[in-house]
Amino acid sequence: MSLYEDFMARAYTMELEATERYAQFAEQLDTHNNREVAQLFRKLADIEALHAKRILEEMHWPSMPALPPAYAWEGAEGPETAPFASLHYLMQPWHALEIALRCEQEAQKYYESIAVSGAPKKVRDAAREMAEEEQEHVRLIREWMRKVPRPAAGWDEDPDPPRVNE
C-alpha cells in the first residue's frame, strides 16, 4: 500500500469514527428524550458518512482496506471523533454544534499538519484539500450556530435528574 493509500485509509477512518460517534450520541439523547439534539447528531452523522463514502468512491475501494500505522493519531481515536465526555442529556442544539465545531477544527489541524510535512507531494496535496474542506465545514457550522439560540445559564440543571439503579 502506498503512502497515499495509507493516508486516504486514515482519512476514511476519521470520517467513519465521527459518523459512529455522532450516531451513538443520537441514540443516547433519544434515550433521554432529547429528540431535537438527537436529530441534529443524526444529521451530523449523515454528513460524515457522506465524506467517508466519497473517499471509498475516490479510491475505488469496495470497502476499507486494513488500517496502516503511517498516519496514526496520538490518542485512541481520530481528531474528528467527539469525546464521550462532551455529551450531556440536557444539551441543546447549540452544544451539539459546538462539539461538531471543535471536531472539525481538530480535523482541519490534523490535515494541515500533514500538508506541511515531509510526506510525498500527492499526500500533502490531498491533505491540503481535506484541510480546506474542513475549514469550509467550520465556516458552515459557525453559520449554523448563529441561527440557534445560545443556552442560558443553568441549562444543565435538572430538578428531577435520572437515577441509576444498582
Side-chain angles (χ1 to χ4, degrees), residues 7 71 108-121 123-132:
F7 170 76
Y71 292 96
Q108 181 183 349
K109 284 193 299 192
Y110 173 77
Y111 289 130
E112 286 172 344
S113 71
I114 293 172
V116 298
S117 72
K121 182 179 180 344
V123 172
R124 289 191 324 265
D125 290 346
R128 192 172 297 108
E129 181 181 323
M130 289 182 180
E132 289 170 2

PDB file of all heavy atoms in Angstrom, residues 7 71 108-121 123-132:
ATOM      1  N   PHE A   7      -2.677   7.231   3.736  1.00  0.00           N
ATOM      2  CA  PHE A   7      -3.278   8.497   4.169  1.00  0.00           C
ATOM      3  C   PHE A   7      -4.789   8.478   3.946  1.00  0.00           C
ATOM      4  O   PHE A   7      -5.563   8.856   4.829  1.00  0.00           O
ATOM      5  CB  PHE A   7      -2.646   9.677   3.421  1.00  0.00           C
ATOM      6  CG  PHE A   7      -3.384  10.960   3.646  1.00  0.00           C
ATOM      7  CD1 PHE A   7      -3.258  11.643   4.842  1.00  0.00           C
ATOM      8  CD2 PHE A   7      -4.227  11.471   2.670  1.00  0.00           C
ATOM      9  CE1 PHE A   7      -3.960  12.815   5.066  1.00  0.00           C
ATOM     10  CE2 PHE A   7      -4.927  12.641   2.884  1.00  0.00           C
ATOM     11  CZ  PHE A   7      -4.799  13.313   4.081  1.00  0.00           C
ATOM     12  N   TYR A  71      -0.098   7.183   9.364  1.00  0.00           N
ATOM     13  CA  TYR A  71      -0.635   8.487   9.756  1.00  0.00           C
ATOM     14  C   TYR A  71      -1.508   8.365  10.995  1.00  0.00           C
ATOM     15  O   TYR A  71      -2.526   9.019  11.123  1.00  0.00           O
ATOM     16  CB  TYR A  71      -1.415   9.114   8.599  1.00  0.00           C
ATOM     17  CG  TYR A  71      -0.498   9.495   7.482  1.00  0.00           C
ATOM     18  CD1 TYR A  71      -0.307   8.656   6.412  1.00  0.00           C
ATOM     19  CD2 TYR A  71       0.231  10.672   7.541  1.00  0.00           C
ATOM     20  CE1 TYR A  71       0.576   8.992   5.399  1.00  0.00           C
ATOM     21  CE2 TYR A  71       1.124  11.006   6.544  1.00  0.00           C
ATOM     22  CZ  TYR A  71       1.285  10.163   5.471  1.00  0.00           C
ATOM     23  OH  TYR A  71       2.159  10.488   4.485  1.00  0.00           O
ATOM     24  N   GLN A 108      -9.196  19.729  10.772  1.00  0.00           N
ATOM     25  CA  GLN A 108      -8.500  20.702   9.938  1.00  0.00           C
ATOM     26  C   GLN A 108      -7.030  20.801  10.347  1.00  0.00           C
ATOM     27  O   GLN A 108      -6.138  20.766   9.496  1.00  0.00           O
ATOM     28  CB  GLN A 108      -9.179  22.068  10.040  1.00  0.00           C
ATOM     29  CG  GLN A 108      -8.517  23.134   9.186  1.00  0.00           C
ATOM     30  CD  GLN A 108      -9.156  24.502   9.368  1.00  0.00           C
ATOM     31  OE1 GLN A 108     -10.212  24.646   9.960  1.00  0.00           O
ATOM     32  NE2 GLN A 108      -8.495  25.516   8.843  1.00  0.00           N
ATOM     33  N   LYS A 109      -6.766  20.905  11.655  1.00  0.00           N
ATOM     34  CA  LYS A 109      -5.382  20.996  12.137  1.00  0.00           C
ATOM     35  C   LYS A 109      -4.593  19.736  11.770  1.00  0.00           C
ATOM     36  O   LYS A 109      -3.428  19.816  11.387  1.00  0.00           O
ATOM     37  CB  LYS A 109      -5.347  21.204  13.657  1.00  0.00           C
ATOM     38  CG  LYS A 109      -5.699  22.615  14.074  1.00  0.00           C
ATOM     39  CD  LYS A 109      -5.361  22.913  15.521  1.00  0.00           C
ATOM     40  CE  LYS A 109      -6.075  22.040  16.492  1.00  0.00           C
ATOM     41  NZ  LYS A 109      -5.989  22.483  17.893  1.00  0.00           N
ATOM     42  N   TYR A 110      -5.232  18.580  11.896  1.00  0.00           N
ATOM     43  CA  TYR A 110      -4.574  17.313  11.552  1.00  0.00           C
ATOM     44  C   TYR A 110      -4.147  17.327  10.081  1.00  0.00           C
ATOM     45  O   TYR A 110      -2.993  17.037   9.761  1.00  0.00           O
ATOM     46  CB  TYR A 110      -5.524  16.153  11.838  1.00  0.00           C
ATOM     47  CG  TYR A 110      -5.014  14.816  11.368  1.00  0.00           C
ATOM     48  CD1 TYR A 110      -4.035  14.139  12.079  1.00  0.00           C
ATOM     49  CD2 TYR A 110      -5.524  14.228  10.222  1.00  0.00           C
ATOM     50  CE1 TYR A 110      -3.573  12.907  11.652  1.00  0.00           C
ATOM     51  CE2 TYR A 110      -5.071  12.995   9.790  1.00  0.00           C
ATOM     52  CZ  TYR A 110      -4.096  12.345  10.505  1.00  0.00           C
ATOM     53  OH  TYR A 110      -3.638  11.123  10.078  1.00  0.00           O
ATOM     54  N   TYR A 111      -5.084  17.669   9.209  1.00  0.00           N
ATOM     55  CA  TYR A 111      -4.770  17.686   7.779  1.00  0.00           C
ATOM     56  C   TYR A 111      -3.741  18.764   7.441  1.00  0.00           C
ATOM     57  O   TYR A 111      -2.855  18.546   6.618  1.00  0.00           O
ATOM     58  CB  TYR A 111      -6.035  17.873   6.944  1.00  0.00           C
ATOM     59  CG  TYR A 111      -6.932  16.656   6.950  1.00  0.00           C
ATOM     60  CD1 TYR A 111      -8.287  16.770   7.239  1.00  0.00           C
ATOM     61  CD2 TYR A 111      -6.437  15.387   6.674  1.00  0.00           C
ATOM     62  CE1 TYR A 111      -9.112  15.661   7.247  1.00  0.00           C
ATOM     63  CE2 TYR A 111      -7.256  14.273   6.680  1.00  0.00           C
ATOM     64  CZ  TYR A 111      -8.598  14.410   6.966  1.00  0.00           C
ATOM     65  OH  TYR A 111      -9.410  13.312   6.972  1.00  0.00           O
ATOM     66  N   GLU A 112      -3.841  19.908   8.082  1.00  0.00           N
ATOM     67  CA  GLU A 112      -2.865  20.981   7.829  1.00  0.00           C
ATOM     68  C   GLU A 112      -1.456  20.540   8.218  1.00  0.00           C
ATOM     69  O   GLU A 112      -0.489  20.868   7.534  1.00  0.00           O
ATOM     70  CB  GLU A 112      -3.250  22.254   8.583  1.00  0.00           C
ATOM     71  CG  GLU A 112      -4.421  22.977   7.956  1.00  0.00           C
ATOM     72  CD  GLU A 112      -4.952  24.134   8.795  1.00  0.00           C
ATOM     73  OE1 GLU A 112      -4.623  24.224  10.006  1.00  0.00           O
ATOM     74  OE2 GLU A 112      -5.713  24.951   8.243  1.00  0.00           O
ATOM     75  N   SER A 113      -1.346  19.785   9.317  1.00  0.00           N
ATOM     76  CA  SER A 113      -0.017  19.333   9.741  1.00  0.00           C
ATOM     77  C   SER A 113       0.592  18.373   8.724  1.00  0.00           C
ATOM     78  O   SER A 113       1.793  18.401   8.478  1.00  0.00           O
ATOM     79  CB  SER A 113      -0.073  18.690  11.131  1.00  0.00           C
ATOM     80  OG  SER A 113      -0.723  17.437  11.086  1.00  0.00           O
ATOM     81  N   ILE A 114      -0.222  17.546   8.108  1.00  0.00           N
ATOM     82  CA  ILE A 114       0.284  16.628   7.083  1.00  0.00           C
ATOM     83  C   ILE A 114       0.602  17.394   5.800  1.00  0.00           C
ATOM     84  O   ILE A 114       1.580  17.098   5.112  1.00  0.00           O
ATOM     85  CB  ILE A 114      -0.723  15.492   6.830  1.00  0.00           C
ATOM     86  CG1 ILE A 114      -0.807  14.617   8.088  1.00  0.00           C
ATOM     87  CG2 ILE A 114      -0.319  14.657   5.613  1.00  0.00           C
ATOM     88  CD1 ILE A 114      -1.877  13.580   8.067  1.00  0.00           C
ATOM     89  N   ALA A 115      -0.193  18.421   5.498  1.00  0.00           N
ATOM     90  CA  ALA A 115       0.018  19.210   4.278  1.00  0.00           C
ATOM     91  C   ALA A 115       1.367  19.915   4.273  1.00  0.00           C
ATOM     92  O   ALA A 115       1.899  20.218   3.203  1.00  0.00           O
ATOM     93  CB  ALA A 115      -1.113  20.223   4.098  1.00  0.00           C
ATOM     94  N   VAL A 116       1.916  20.192   5.447  1.00  0.00           N
ATOM     95  CA  VAL A 116       3.215  20.875   5.525  1.00  0.00           C
ATOM     96  C   VAL A 116       4.326  19.929   5.984  1.00  0.00           C
ATOM     97  O   VAL A 116       5.424  20.380   6.296  1.00  0.00           O
ATOM     98  CB  VAL A 116       3.159  22.128   6.440  1.00  0.00           C
ATOM     99  CG1 VAL A 116       2.183  23.143   5.890  1.00  0.00           C
ATOM    100  CG2 VAL A 116       2.811  21.744   7.870  1.00  0.00           C
ATOM    101  N   SER A 117       4.036  18.640   6.030  1.00  0.00           N
ATOM    102  CA  SER A 117       5.019  17.657   6.492  1.00  0.00           C
ATOM    103  C   SER A 117       5.949  17.246   5.351  1.00  0.00           C
ATOM    104  O   SER A 117       5.854  17.758   4.238  1.00  0.00           O
ATOM    105  CB  SER A 117       4.297  16.422   7.043  1.00  0.00           C
ATOM    106  OG  SER A 117       3.727  15.681   5.966  1.00  0.00           O
ATOM    107  N   GLY A 118       6.772  16.291   5.616  1.00  0.00           N
ATOM    108  CA  GLY A 118       7.679  15.760   4.602  1.00  0.00           C
ATOM    109  C   GLY A 118       7.069  14.602   3.824  1.00  0.00           C
ATOM    110  O   GLY A 118       7.783  13.866   3.151  1.00  0.00           O
ATOM    111  N   ALA A 119       5.762  14.466   3.898  1.00  0.00           N
ATOM    112  CA  ALA A 119       5.069  13.399   3.176  1.00  0.00           C
ATOM    113  C   ALA A 119       5.206  13.618   1.665  1.00  0.00           C
ATOM    114  O   ALA A 119       5.483  14.727   1.209  1.00  0.00           O
ATOM    115  CB  ALA A 119       3.593  13.378   3.572  1.00  0.00           C
ATOM    116  N   PRO A 120       4.982  12.569   0.869  1.00  0.00           N
ATOM    117  CA  PRO A 120       5.014  12.742  -0.584  1.00  0.00           C
ATOM    118  C   PRO A 120       4.021  13.818  -1.035  1.00  0.00           C
ATOM    119  O   PRO A 120       2.997  14.045  -0.396  1.00  0.00           O
ATOM    120  CB  PRO A 120       4.613  11.363  -1.111  1.00  0.00           C
ATOM    121  CG  PRO A 120       4.956  10.417  -0.002  1.00  0.00           C
ATOM    122  CD  PRO A 120       4.737  11.190   1.270  1.00  0.00           C
ATOM    123  N   LYS A 121       4.331  14.437  -2.160  1.00  0.00           N
ATOM    124  CA  LYS A 121       3.514  15.547  -2.682  1.00  0.00           C
ATOM    125  C   LYS A 121       2.043  15.161  -2.833  1.00  0.00           C
ATOM    126  O   LYS A 121       1.162  15.940  -2.484  1.00  0.00           O
ATOM    127  CB  LYS A 121       4.079  16.043  -4.011  1.00  0.00           C
ATOM    128  CG  LYS A 121       3.299  17.225  -4.587  1.00  0.00           C
ATOM    129  CD  LYS A 121       3.893  17.704  -5.881  1.00  0.00           C
ATOM    130  CE  LYS A 121       3.202  18.867  -6.516  1.00  0.00           C
ATOM    131  NZ  LYS A 121       1.893  19.249  -6.119  1.00  0.00           N
ATOM    132  N   VAL A 123       0.308  13.078  -1.151  1.00  0.00           N
ATOM    133  CA  VAL A 123      -0.297  13.036   0.181  1.00  0.00           C
ATOM    134  C   VAL A 123      -0.513  14.457   0.690  1.00  0.00           C
ATOM    135  O   VAL A 123      -1.584  14.791   1.206  1.00  0.00           O
ATOM    136  CB  VAL A 123       0.571  12.221   1.163  1.00  0.00           C
ATOM    137  CG1 VAL A 123       0.043  12.338   2.590  1.00  0.00           C
ATOM    138  CG2 VAL A 123       0.647  10.760   0.730  1.00  0.00           C
ATOM    139  N   ARG A 124       0.515  15.303   0.549  1.00  0.00           N
ATOM    140  CA  ARG A 124       0.394  16.697   1.013  1.00  0.00           C
ATOM    141  C   ARG A 124      -0.732  17.409   0.276  1.00  0.00           C
ATOM    142  O   ARG A 124      -1.504  18.159   0.883  1.00  0.00           O
ATOM    143  CB  ARG A 124       1.720  17.450   0.814  1.00  0.00           C
ATOM    144  CG  ARG A 124       2.809  17.009   1.760  1.00  0.00           C
ATOM    145  CD  ARG A 124       4.024  17.934   1.750  1.00  0.00           C
ATOM    146  NE  ARG A 124       4.361  18.495   0.470  1.00  0.00           N
ATOM    147  CZ  ARG A 124       5.266  18.002  -0.385  1.00  0.00           C
ATOM    148  NH1 ARG A 124       5.934  16.901  -0.082  1.00  0.00           N
ATOM    149  NH2 ARG A 124       5.510  18.599  -1.533  1.00  0.00           N
ATOM    150  N   ASP A 125      -0.849  17.180  -1.023  1.00  0.00           N
ATOM    151  CA  ASP A 125      -1.918  17.812  -1.810  1.00  0.00           C
ATOM    152  C   ASP A 125      -3.294  17.346  -1.334  1.00  0.00           C
ATOM    153  O   ASP A 125      -4.215  18.157  -1.184  1.00  0.00           O
ATOM    154  CB  ASP A 125      -1.746  17.520  -3.302  1.00  0.00           C
ATOM    155  CG  ASP A 125      -0.557  18.232  -3.922  1.00  0.00           C
ATOM    156  OD1 ASP A 125      -0.009  19.162  -3.290  1.00  0.00           O
ATOM    157  OD2 ASP A 125      -0.171  17.851  -5.049  1.00  0.00           O
ATOM    158  N   ALA A 126      -3.431  16.046  -1.092  1.00  0.00           N
ATOM    159  CA  ALA A 126      -4.714  15.516  -0.594  1.00  0.00           C
ATOM    160  C   ALA A 126      -5.021  16.078   0.780  1.00  0.00           C
ATOM    161  O   ALA A 126      -6.162  16.456   1.066  1.00  0.00           O
ATOM    162  CB  ALA A 126      -4.672  13.988  -0.558  1.00  0.00           C
ATOM    163  N   ALA A 127      -4.006  16.168   1.631  1.00  0.00           N
ATOM    164  CA  ALA A 127      -4.201  16.704   2.980  1.00  0.00           C
ATOM    165  C   ALA A 127      -4.603  18.173   2.913  1.00  0.00           C
ATOM    166  O   ALA A 127      -5.479  18.615   3.663  1.00  0.00           O
ATOM    167  CB  ALA A 127      -2.925  16.532   3.807  1.00  0.00           C
ATOM    168  N   ARG A 128      -3.986  18.923   2.025  1.00  0.00           N
ATOM    169  CA  ARG A 128      -4.323  20.348   1.867  1.00  0.00           C
ATOM    170  C   ARG A 128      -5.784  20.488   1.422  1.00  0.00           C
ATOM    171  O   ARG A 128      -6.528  21.322   1.943  1.00  0.00           O
ATOM    172  CB  ARG A 128      -3.382  20.987   0.843  1.00  0.00           C
ATOM    173  CG  ARG A 128      -3.437  22.498   0.791  1.00  0.00           C
ATOM    174  CD  ARG A 128      -2.332  23.082  -0.101  1.00  0.00           C
ATOM    175  NE  ARG A 128      -0.998  22.773   0.430  1.00  0.00           N
ATOM    176  CZ  ARG A 128      -0.141  21.884  -0.116  1.00  0.00           C
ATOM    177  NH1 ARG A 128      -0.453  21.219  -1.201  1.00  0.00           N
ATOM    178  NH2 ARG A 128       1.039  21.662   0.434  1.00  0.00           N
ATOM    179  N   GLU A 129      -6.198  19.649   0.486  1.00  0.00           N
ATOM    180  CA  GLU A 129      -7.586  19.690   0.004  1.00  0.00           C
ATOM    181  C   GLU A 129      -8.562  19.345   1.131  1.00  0.00           C
ATOM    182  O   GLU A 129      -9.583  20.006   1.307  1.00  0.00           O
ATOM    183  CB  GLU A 129      -7.757  18.711  -1.159  1.00  0.00           C
ATOM    184  CG  GLU A 129      -9.145  18.699  -1.743  1.00  0.00           C
ATOM    185  CD  GLU A 129      -9.266  17.695  -2.888  1.00  0.00           C
ATOM    186  OE1 GLU A 129      -8.306  17.544  -3.665  1.00  0.00           O
ATOM    187  OE2 GLU A 129     -10.335  17.071  -2.979  1.00  0.00           O
ATOM    188  N   MET A 130      -8.224  18.338   1.925  1.00  0.00           N
ATOM    189  CA  MET A 130      -9.104  17.953   3.031  1.00  0.00           C
ATOM    190  C   MET A 130      -9.126  19.025   4.115  1.00  0.00           C
ATOM    191  O   MET A 130     -10.172  19.272   4.720  1.00  0.00           O
ATOM    192  CB  MET A 130      -8.683  16.600   3.584  1.00  0.00           C
ATOM    193  CG  MET A 130      -8.991  15.477   2.631  1.00  0.00           C
ATOM    194  SD  MET A 130      -8.541  13.897   3.335  1.00  0.00           S
ATOM    195  CE  MET A 130      -9.029  12.825   2.002  1.00  0.00           C
ATOM    196  N   ALA A 131      -8.002  19.669   4.352  1.00  0.00           N
ATOM    197  CA  ALA A 131      -7.959  20.767   5.331  1.00  0.00           C
ATOM    198  C   ALA A 131      -8.878  21.899   4.875  1.00  0.00           C
ATOM    199  O   ALA A 131      -9.587  22.494   5.696  1.00  0.00           O
ATOM    200  CB  ALA A 131      -6.529  21.277   5.507  1.00  0.00           C
ATOM    201  N   GLU A 132      -8.878  22.182   3.569  1.00  0.00           N
ATOM    202  CA  GLU A 132      -9.765  23.226   3.036  1.00  0.00           C
ATOM    203  C   GLU A 132     -11.230  22.831   3.200  1.00  0.00           C
ATOM    204  O   GLU A 132     -12.072  23.671   3.525  1.00  0.00           O
ATOM    205  CB  GLU A 132      -9.431  23.501   1.575  1.00  0.00           C
ATOM    206  CG  GLU A 132      -8.101  24.218   1.388  1.00  0.00           C
ATOM    207  CD  GLU A 132      -7.632  24.276  -0.061  1.00  0.00           C
ATOM    208  OE1 GLU A 132      -8.350  23.788  -0.967  1.00  0.00           O
ATOM    209  OE2 GLU A 132      -6.523  24.802  -0.276  1.00  0.00           O
TER     210      GLU A 132
END
